[in-house]
Amino acid sequence: MQLITFLVWPLFLSLGRSAAVPSLLRRAGCDGQCINQELGPLLSKGATILHNADAAPRWSEYHAPMPGTVINVASELDVLITVQFCNLNGLTFLAQNGGNGWAITFDIGSKDVVINLSGIKQIVFSPGKDQVTFQGGALVSDIVSAAYANNTRVLTGNCNCIGALGAVLGGGYGRLMGFYGFGVDNLISVNLVTSYGVPITVDASNTDLWWALKGAGPNFGIVTSATMKAYPTPQAKNTAWLGPLIFSEAKIEALVTAINDLVLAPPMAIFMYYATTGAPAYEPIVIALPFYVGTEAAGRAAFASILAVGPEEDLTAVTPYDQWNAGSGSFCVPGDRKPSYGAGFNVMNPTTWRAIWTEYTGFLAANPGTGNSTILVECYSLAHAQSIPASSASFPLRNGVRFNGVATAWYADASLDPVAERYGSTVRNLWRATEDLPHNLTYINFAYGDESLPTVYGASLPRLQRIKEEYDPFGRFDQWFPLLPRP
């Protein structure tokens, strides 16, 4: 580990954490050839440096980062060295894994660097299978597969292709949260590369930084690995009843009312979609996706009010843990343009959802090539998560938001951007008009990027800004809903 100290560490020790380390070290800059020649020899054997933005593909090409250099790290040490090198040379950087974050807050161009974490994804379970330590490149699919093979389970996001840590650090909704709380409630510790290019381990003993990371993590460093709780469960019992229920559009009001009135017990969650049948017809359809940890009979009883609405098709089944997210495959396809507008709300209003259906079907009909566009709302059992003090994490939506919706327009033709933006904004405004909240609140991982900071950080904002000034006063981590104005 001696190599990690060669750039910043001695100066950091001599000047103290509050010293202007980045400004003291910053040089005039470093182009691609310079990066190859000076950084390349310092990285591990498996690391690569590419000067092509396509080397780190994004889920959406809409307002996507377009770096001049992509550094594919092969170890946690590579991340540290790269951050130190970027600090020394005044290079703006962004760390990414799944590349699914869609917000328009990114400001990464041809002179900038993406640190691609996808090459570091080691996963290790404790002997008792009640903890898991995994590196920053692990996807949700990696965690789920490893957990299932180890007869345990971990609270993760619901899409296989997203970075496991990215989902958690924003708060971390997941189908198992009725038992285990939010993702941030399951963190035990993280290994972090700070804005000063210093590696530290953060846990509950570091009160301020630990609190800040649990909801606003990307603003405070790069998490190269983390340890989370795991829950031993034999494969034979690691199952749930879930699957699509297809409804006619005539049932929208009844379905929305049933979801709004449903009291979700810990084993339960439910999503609702406006989607299409796919190629070639792309006919709009309404889908409910119930989820129940338990038997089919118990699941059907728990969701009796949803089933009573009368689905045209029932594709539910008892499914093993490692297949719960299988339905996310079509959503995970990378590329194309996917501006996405989210909102939090407390009420599923039937009139609102009828108006959204009109907007959705009108957008599809008027704009060929948009047939993969979707509307999604997620609803989880919140009682256990709300029993954990809100003060335990900076995540602001623990209390008061029952539903999280997101409208995604999906197309390839960039000329459709203006109409897609109007459409997405209109749907968001419809949700907000009947949100039943004291002020707008949006889950940061669902937000478009034009929201006010209080909308995504809530009452945590003032404390987050004070901690930001201490740990990242130079804005090295300012790509994801930056807490302070960019330098």
Side-chain angles (χ1 to χ4, degrees):
M1 295 295 290
Q2 298 300 315
L3 184 60
I4 68 174
T5 67
F6 78 103
L7 288 175
V8 172
W9 188 245
L11 188 59
F12 176 84
L13 288 175
S14 65
L15 295 177
R17 187 174 62 194
S18 63
V21 174
S23 63
L24 285 172
L25 294 179
R26 187 168 293 175
R27 302 191 307 190
C30 188
D31 61 14
Q33 183 178 3
C34 164
I35 293 172
N36 290 343
Q37 292 176 347
E38 297 189 17
L39 176 60
L42 304 176
L43 300 176
S44 64
K45 184 178 180 180
T48 60
I49 300 175
L50 302 173
H51 303 287
N52 182 350
D54 293 338
R58 303 288 303 187
W59 174 73
S60 173
E61 296 169 359
Y62 175 82
H63 282 268
M66 295 296 292
T69 299
V70 175
I71 299 172
N72 298 303
V73 298
S75 70
E76 294 183 54
L77 180 58
D78 287 342
V79 179
L80 177 64
I81 292 171
T82 301
V83 170
Q84 293 179 344
F85 183 86
C86 289
N87 282 349
L88 175 65
N89 290 281
L91 296 170
T92 298
F93 58 86
L94 167 71
Q96 79 166 49
N97 178 15
N100 290 81
W102 58 63
I104 63 170
T105 60
F106 297 115
D107 186 17
I108 295 291
S110 61
K111 295 182 179 180
D112 304 324
V113 171
V114 159
I115 304 172
N116 184 9
L117 303 176
S118 63
I120 54 171
K121 52 176 61 182
Q122 184 179 17
I123 301 169
V124 178
F125 287 88
S126 64
K129 311 301 183 184
D130 59 351
Q131 294 185 13
V132 59
T133 299
F134 59 96
Q135 291 182 309
L139 300 176
V140 165
S141 59
D142 298 320
I143 301 295
V144 169
S145 295
Y148 188 68
N150 279 271
N151 289 288
T152 191
R153 59 191 182 201
V154 179
L155 181 77
T156 69
N158 307 308
C159 286
N160 279 333
C161 58
I162 63 175
L165 274 172
V168 169
L169 294 173
Y173 286 90
R175 293 188 182 99
L176 291 171
M177 62 181 295
F179 296 118
Y180 310 135
F182 286 101
V184 293
D185 302 326
N186 287 266
L187 282 171
I188 297 171
S189 67
V190 303
N191 290 325
L192 185 78
V193 175
T194 72
S195 67
Y196 298 94
V198 175
I200 61 174
T201 298
V202 187
D203 57 22
S205 65
N206 188 327
T207 307
D208 277 350
L209 186 55
W210 185 238
W211 176 86
L213 287 171
K214 296 193 295 180
N219 270 276
F220 294 93
I222 301 174
V223 176
T224 58
S225 58
T227 299
M228 289 183 65
K229 298 174 184 177
Y231 301 90
T233 309
Q235 286 187 3
K237 295 183 178 180
N238 208 354
T239 61
W241 173 77
L242 70 151
L245 300 170
I246 313 299
F247 293 85
S248 72
E249 61 90 12
K251 300 293 183 70
I252 286 174
E253 286 81 1
L255 178 61
V256 167
T257 299
I259 293 174
N260 184 71
D261 294 344
L262 188 63
V263 177
L264 294 174
M268 301 169 68
I270 188 168
F271 303 164
M272 190 181 88
Y273 297 86
Y274 290 164
T276 75
T277 56
Y282 291 106
E283 293 292 335
I285 54 173
V286 181
I287 305 171
L289 187 69
F291 172 89
Y292 187 88
V293 179
T295 65
E296 178 176 356
R300 289 188 177 277
F303 287 99
S305 62
I306 305 299
L307 293 166
V309 174
E312 294 183 334
E313 290 187 76
D314 182 340
L315 303 176
T316 58
V318 173
T319 305
Y321 169 71
D322 65 338
Q323 296 300 311
W324 290 356
N325 293 342
S328 69
S330 59
F331 179 82
C332 282
V333 175
D336 289 340
R337 307 179 74 78
K338 305 179 185 109
S340 299
Y341 289 74
F345 40 98
N346 257 351
V347 173
M348 288 279 284
N349 183 289
T351 302
T352 296
W353 280 91
R354 173 57 65 180
I356 291 173
W357 175 259
T358 299
E359 292 293 333
Y360 176 68
T361 55
F363 176 73
L364 296 178
N367 300 285
T370 60
N372 289 322
S373 301
T374 59
I375 305 278
L376 162 68
V377 62
E378 298 182 348
C379 184
Y380 300 94
S381 174
L382 297 172
H384 177 73
Q386 291 175 346
S387 72
I388 299 168
S391 60
S392 65
S394 59
F395 174 68
L397 305 189
R398 188 179 299 274
N399 300 305
V401 174
R402 289 181 64 201
F403 306 100
N404 291 295
V406 63
T408 298
W410 187 327
Y411 52 93
D413 183 358
S415 69
L416 290 178
D417 284 351
V419 68
E421 291 160 0
R422 288 193 295 272
Y423 156 74
S425 182
T426 297
V427 173
R428 182 175 64 180
N429 288 340
L430 286 167
W431 279 324
R432 288 178 171 178
T434 54
E435 64 188 7
D436 192 31
L437 294 171
H439 58 86
N440 298 149
L441 285 171
T442 301
Y443 181 36
I444 195 167
N445 287 345
F446 277 14
Y448 173 71
D450 63 347
E451 295 84 354
S452 69
L453 291 182
T455 297
V456 292
Y457 293 118
S460 297
L461 180 61
R463 184 180 174 190
L464 282 170
Q465 290 176 323
R466 289 194 298 271
I467 299 170
K468 178 75 168 180
E469 289 174 344
E470 178 179 3
Y471 284 93
D472 187 20
F474 303 98
R476 300 302 284 151
F477 299 104
D478 66 350
Q479 295 296 319
W480 188 246
F481 296 89
L483 287 163
L484 297 172
R486 287 188 168 111

